[in-house]
């Protein structure tokens, strides 16, 4: 990574007014800040470069409140609304405001359980729905949510229906989330091996997408936020590589 590129991008992002950010960019903005928060929390001397942990924390809360308001619109496309739910749950893991979690869980089950029913019915089979199921499993412990998420993962890896790099990256993130939250519950060994091999192939295309993002024009707002999201993840990985061993020794 170019030495000063992330600092330049971070400075620009910190100056953004959330009212000027398209709703579709808020997830990338939130998760970029979550990466920065994690980086500064683990390596506190980085506060000199990226601001205090509290300031980053406050920015994440600000973004989450905007998402919480957007979530109130029940006429949104179901996949868009599912994405907002997951973002709010991700913010809760840091901010621990139970109002965020309550709002998110209420919306999650409105999405997953049709009115008048008591059974989960998937409204669509998208990365956001997969992440939603994983989070419901994490917060409620319902095995059915974990199993349904697993079925979406194996189905996606087994089909050649992904038509764009953006969709592949969204599934890549969802699958990584599934592996960290749900694990490989009740997945046969042969299926686990196939999933691993497929993910190795996907990694090459995800890297291609990230390389393309880093070449985007910084003048476009959504391009800036996408770049921030990608660079923040890369910077955190870079810090882990540079300082991880030292951190363990300390």
């Amino acid at each position: 990574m170019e030495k000063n590129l992330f600092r330049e991008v971070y400075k620009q992002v910190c100056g953004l007014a959330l009212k000027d950010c398209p709703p579709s960019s808020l997830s990338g903005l939130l998760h970029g800040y979550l990466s920065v928060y994690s980086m500064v929390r683990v390596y506190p001397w980085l506060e000199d470069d990226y601001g205090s942990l509290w300031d980053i924390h406050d920015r994440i809360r600000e973004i989450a409140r905007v998402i919480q308001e957007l979530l109130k619109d029940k006429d949104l496309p179901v996949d868009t609304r599912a994405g907002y739910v997951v973002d709010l749950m991700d913010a809760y893991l840091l901010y621990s405001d139970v109002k965020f979690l309550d709002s998110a869980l209420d919306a999650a089950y409105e999405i997953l359980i049709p009115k008048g029913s008591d059974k989960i019915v998937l409204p669509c089979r998208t990365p956001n729905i997969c992440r939603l199921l994983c989070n419901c499993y994490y917060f409620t412990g319902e095995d059915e949510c974990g199993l349904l998420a697993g079925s979406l993962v194996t189905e996606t890896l087994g089909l050649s229906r992904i038509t764009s790099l953006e969709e592949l990256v969204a599934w890549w993130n969802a699958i990584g989330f599934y592996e960290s939250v749900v694990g490989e519950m009740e997945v046969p060994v042969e299926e686990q091996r196939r999933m691993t091999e497929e993910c190795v192939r996907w990694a090459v295309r995800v890297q291609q997408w990230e390389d393309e993002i880093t070449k985007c024009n910084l003048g476009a707002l959504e391009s800036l936020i996408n770049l921030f999201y990608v660079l923040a993840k890369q910077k955190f990985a870079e810090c882990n590589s540079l300082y991880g061993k030292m951190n363990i020794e300390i």
Side-chain angles (χ1 to χ4, degrees), residues 16-248:
L16 291 176
L18 294 186
K19 64 181 178 62
D20 296 330
C21 298
S24 60
S25 70
L26 291 174
S27 181
L29 190 64
L30 173 72
H31 286 90
Y33 271 106
L34 287 172
S35 291
V36 174
Y37 182 90
S38 298
M39 184 167 58
V40 174
R41 180 178 58 82
V42 176
Y43 310 111
W45 58 86
L46 293 176
E47 283 195 356
D48 292 340
D49 293 325
Y50 306 115
S52 72
L53 208 57
W54 172 251
D55 287 342
I56 302 166
H57 185 280
D58 200 47
R59 182 67 158 168
I60 291 169
R61 178 176 57 181
E62 183 186 9
I63 299 168
R65 284 176 172 167
V66 174
I67 293 172
Q68 188 177 31
E69 285 301 309
L70 291 170
L71 192 55
K72 293 177 182 179
D73 183 358
K74 297 184 180 182
D75 293 328
L76 288 169
V78 66
D79 183 59
T80 300
R81 198 157 185 251
Y84 289 152
V85 172
V86 175
D87 290 337
L88 205 55
M89 288 175 167
D90 291 346
Y92 168 79
L93 289 173
L94 168 64
Y95 186 59
S96 299
D97 185 334
V98 72
K99 291 180 182 178
F100 285 169
L101 181 60
D102 287 344
S103 297
L105 284 174
D106 286 347
Y109 284 103
E110 285 176 3
I111 291 169
L112 294 174
I113 300 178
K115 192 172 182 179
S117 176
D118 59 356
K119 295 182 179 180
I120 292 176
V121 177
L122 301 186
C124 52
R125 311 177 81 79
T126 63
N128 282 332
I129 292 296
C130 183
R131 292 168 64 219
L132 181 64
L133 289 165
C134 291
N135 261 332
C136 287
Y137 172 80
Y138 177 83
F139 285 112
T140 69
E142 290 188 34
D143 284 348
E144 183 181 6
C145 291
L147 291 170
L148 285 170
S151 70
L152 285 180
V153 168
T154 54
E155 172 187 302
T156 300
L157 288 173
L159 297 176
S160 301
R161 63 178 187 180
I162 295 177
T163 58
S164 69
L165 261 179
E166 288 75 13
E167 185 183 3
L168 183 141
V169 170
W171 270 113
W172 171 266
N173 291 331
I175 291 168
F177 192 59
Y178 168 78
E179 290 178 339
S180 64
V181 172
V182 182
E184 298 167 338
M185 62 185 293
E186 300 185 20
V187 177
V189 174
E190 187 59 36
E191 188 64 27
Q192 292 176 27
R193 185 180 300 111
R194 190 182 67 81
M195 287 172 60
T196 300
E197 291 172 351
E198 192 67 25
C199 283
V200 169
R201 285 192 287 271
W202 279 30
V204 176
R205 298 186 66 192
V206 172
Q207 185 60 55
Q208 178 187 346
W209 178 80
E210 292 188 354
D211 290 344
E212 289 179 3
I213 290 295
T214 60
K215 297 174 185 175
C216 288
N217 178 12
L218 289 182
L221 187 56
E222 290 201 59
S223 295
L224 174 67
I225 292 173
N226 280 338
L227 181 59
F228 169 59
Y229 165 68
V230 169
L231 293 183
K233 286 199 309 176
Q234 291 179 353
K235 190 65 179 179
F236 187 30
E238 180 183 305
C239 287
N240 284 337
S241 178
L242 289 172
Y243 308 128
K245 183 178 179 181
M246 180 176 65
N247 201 51
I248 293 171

Side-chain angles (χ1 to χ4, degrees), residues 7-22:
R7 289 185 186 180
E8 178 188 344
V9 169
Y10 185 60
K11 182 178 179 181
Q12 290 189 46
V13 165
C14 287
L16 291 176
L18 294 186
K19 64 181 178 62
D20 296 330
C21 298

